[in-house]
């Protein structure tokens, strides 16, 4: 039983591989152990095995292009015996194709990736989600809440990009229902924060606050600064959309502090440091604009000084481009 549960968990990770490792206490150790399990499984398969090729594609260090995923889908469709228990591999590949098609400018993008658009992404995501719903009673992988949640979120994202708002509610309801049962903390965080982002995209910011607060609680429990920062960024946006000016300014002040701590954290990746640096400067600039509008010169001077310190650190560490920093320098002058 334990061996079977472990296998189902490893297979389930194919559907959650793209999820950022927020709300994880030690993301480097987690990523290392997850990578080792996949590599060990692949090492036990024949080098020309289609299953091995698909798993390596889905779990590649850099996200594969939509074109590469599409080619693999065509190959798997024509492969003899690729059916029944192996359908989860096709569903994982459909999900990966959809994610790459809605973000053609990401890693693995380029001219060929742009041949696929939002409609292609939506169709693939819808097929994968339909497989999960239809197979949930009989397929052990489809029954894993983490799998159903991530396939639902992929469909939500693809539907929003394809401007198919009417297709969002069903998968979003499934995600909300299953989110409390998700085992992996980073997937649970992703579920709650993604629900909040979807509500913002649908123009319902008041329905974003509860799920984003749930995501923040998970990050707090894990002691994960990056997760706290990401959650506060969503919360600040929701408060701004709701017109709650005073609360929004306070949220941006909190956001700036969290972003600066993430940018200074030795465990942060270079990409995370760059994102957090820009986030901190944007949040400080937002607070500064309000301080100036309210005639609070001393508070404005403090924000300007904080922005200049952050820009000096970013320039020394290479965490932001000079052109970007020049824009913030103009705001702080």
């Amino acid at each position: 039983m334990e061996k079977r549960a472990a296998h189902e968990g490893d297979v389930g990770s194919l559907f959650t591989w793209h999820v950022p490792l927020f709300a994880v206490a030690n993301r480097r150790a987690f990523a290392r152990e997850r990578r080792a399990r996949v590599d060990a499984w692949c090492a036990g398969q024949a080098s020309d095995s289609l299953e091995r090729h698909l798993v390596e594609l889905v779990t590649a260090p850099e996200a594969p292009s939509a074109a590469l995923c599409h080619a693999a889908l065509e190959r798997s469709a024509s492969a003899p015996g690729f059916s029944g228990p192996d359908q989860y591999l096709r569903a994982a590949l459909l999900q990966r194709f959809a994610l790459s098609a809605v973000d053609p400018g990401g890693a693995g993008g380029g001219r060929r990736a742009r041949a696929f658009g939002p409609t292609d992404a939506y169709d693939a995501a819808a097929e994968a989600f339909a497989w999960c719903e239809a197979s949930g009673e009989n397929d052990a992988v489809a029954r894993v809440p983490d799998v159903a949640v991530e396939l639902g979120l992929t469909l939500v994202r693809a539907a929003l990009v394809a401007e198919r708002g009417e297709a969002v509610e069903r998968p979003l309801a499934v995600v909300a229902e299953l989110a409390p049962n998700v085992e992996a903390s980073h997937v649970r965080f992703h579920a709650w924060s993604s629900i909040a982002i979807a509500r913002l995209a649908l123009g319902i910011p008041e329905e974003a606050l509860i799920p984003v607060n749930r995501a923040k609680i998970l990050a707090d429990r894990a002691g994960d600064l990056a997760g706290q920062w990401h959650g506060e960024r969503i919360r600040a946006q929701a408060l701004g959309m709701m017109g709650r000016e005073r609360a929004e300014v306070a949220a941006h002040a909190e956001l700036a502090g969290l972003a600066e701590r993430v940018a200074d954290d030795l465990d942060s990746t270079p990409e995370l440091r760059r994102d957090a640096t820009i986030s901190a400067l944007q949040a400080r600039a937002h607070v500064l604009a309000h301080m100036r509008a309210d005639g609070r010169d001393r508070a404005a001077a403090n924000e300007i000084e904080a922005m200049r310190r952050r820009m000096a650190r970013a320039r020394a560490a290479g965490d932001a481009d000079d052109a970007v920093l020049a824009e913030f320098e103009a705001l702080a002058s």
Side-chain angles (χ1 to χ4, degrees):
M1 286 288 290
E2 290 180 3
K3 185 176 181 181
R4 185 175 67 186
H7 171 70
E8 290 166 4
D10 287 341
V11 169
S13 74
L14 297 178
F15 297 87
T16 65
W17 200 268
H18 64 284
V19 176
L21 298 182
F22 292 133
V24 174
N26 188 335
R27 63 173 55 87
R28 291 194 181 191
F30 180 92
R32 200 163 47 240
E33 292 170 6
R34 183 177 67 167
R35 179 80 262 171
R37 288 197 302 271
V38 170
D39 289 345
W41 182 88
C42 289
Q45 310 302 310
S47 59
D48 59 349
S49 162
L50 177 60
E51 290 80 1
R52 174 174 175 171
H53 171 69
L54 297 183
V55 169
E56 288 175 338
L57 186 66
V58 170
T59 63
E62 289 193 359
S65 69
L68 196 58
C69 292
H70 189 263
L73 280 166
E74 290 185 329
R75 179 184 171 194
S76 68
S78 62
F82 191 80
S83 60
D86 296 330
Q87 281 302 304
Y88 70 83
L89 285 173
R90 176 172 173 81
L93 194 52
L94 283 165
Q95 179 198 37
R96 184 60 263 178
F97 167 79
L99 291 168
S100 295
V102 296
D103 185 22
R111 182 169 55 84
R112 290 183 66 199
R114 286 193 291 272
F116 301 99
T119 300
D120 301 298
Y122 173 80
D123 290 343
E127 182 182 339
F129 184 70
W131 163 81
C132 188
E133 288 208 297
S135 306
E137 293 294 326
N138 304 311
D139 190 288
V141 176
R143 281 200 306 270
V144 176
D146 304 48
V147 172
V149 160
E150 283 306 320
L151 288 178
L153 289 176
T154 301
L155 180 53
V156 168
R157 183 178 176 189
L160 288 172
V161 173
E163 299 182 349
R164 298 280 296 272
E166 77 285 353
V168 169
E169 287 304 327
R170 170 59 187 164
L172 203 57
V174 170
V175 172
E177 179 184 352
L178 294 178
N181 301 324
V182 166
E183 180 177 354
S185 61
H186 67 295
V187 179
R188 208 177 319 136
F189 179 96
H190 190 236
W192 290 126
S193 60
S194 296
I195 290 171
I197 291 171
R199 291 308 183 197
L200 294 181
L202 292 170
I204 321 172
E206 60 275 8
E207 293 186 13
L209 290 179
I210 290 177
V212 77
N213 284 339
R214 288 174 176 167
K216 286 188 63 183
I217 288 170
L218 291 171
D220 290 344
R221 287 175 179 168
D224 177 34
L225 281 174
Q228 295 169 27
W229 156 63
H230 184 64
E232 192 63 26
R233 185 162 51 172
I234 299 169
R235 182 172 171 271
Q237 185 179 351
L239 291 169
M241 290 176 65
M242 294 169 66
R244 295 171 56 180
E245 183 176 335
R246 184 169 295 184
E248 180 199 8
V249 173
H252 273 89
E254 175 72 11
L255 174 59
L258 286 169
E260 287 170 349
R261 292 173 67 188
V262 172
D264 294 338
D265 190 348
L266 295 178
D267 283 336
S268 294
T269 63
E271 182 180 3
L272 196 57
R273 287 201 307 272
R274 285 191 293 270
D275 288 347
T277 294
I278 299 303
S279 176
L281 289 170
Q282 288 173 336
R284 293 276 182 203
H286 186 91
V287 175
L288 173 60
H290 282 274
M291 297 301 102
R292 283 172 166 169
D294 293 343
R296 299 172 60 184
D297 295 339
R298 183 180 294 274
N302 290 338
E303 291 301 324
I304 289 172
E305 183 59 30
M307 288 179 70
R308 287 174 175 167
R309 286 197 303 268
R310 179 53 44 188
M311 287 186 281
R313 288 194 181 193
R315 187 170 282 110
D319 288 339
D321 296 334
D322 286 338
V324 173
L325 292 176
E327 295 180 13
F328 287 109
E329 285 173 343
L331 293 172
S333 61

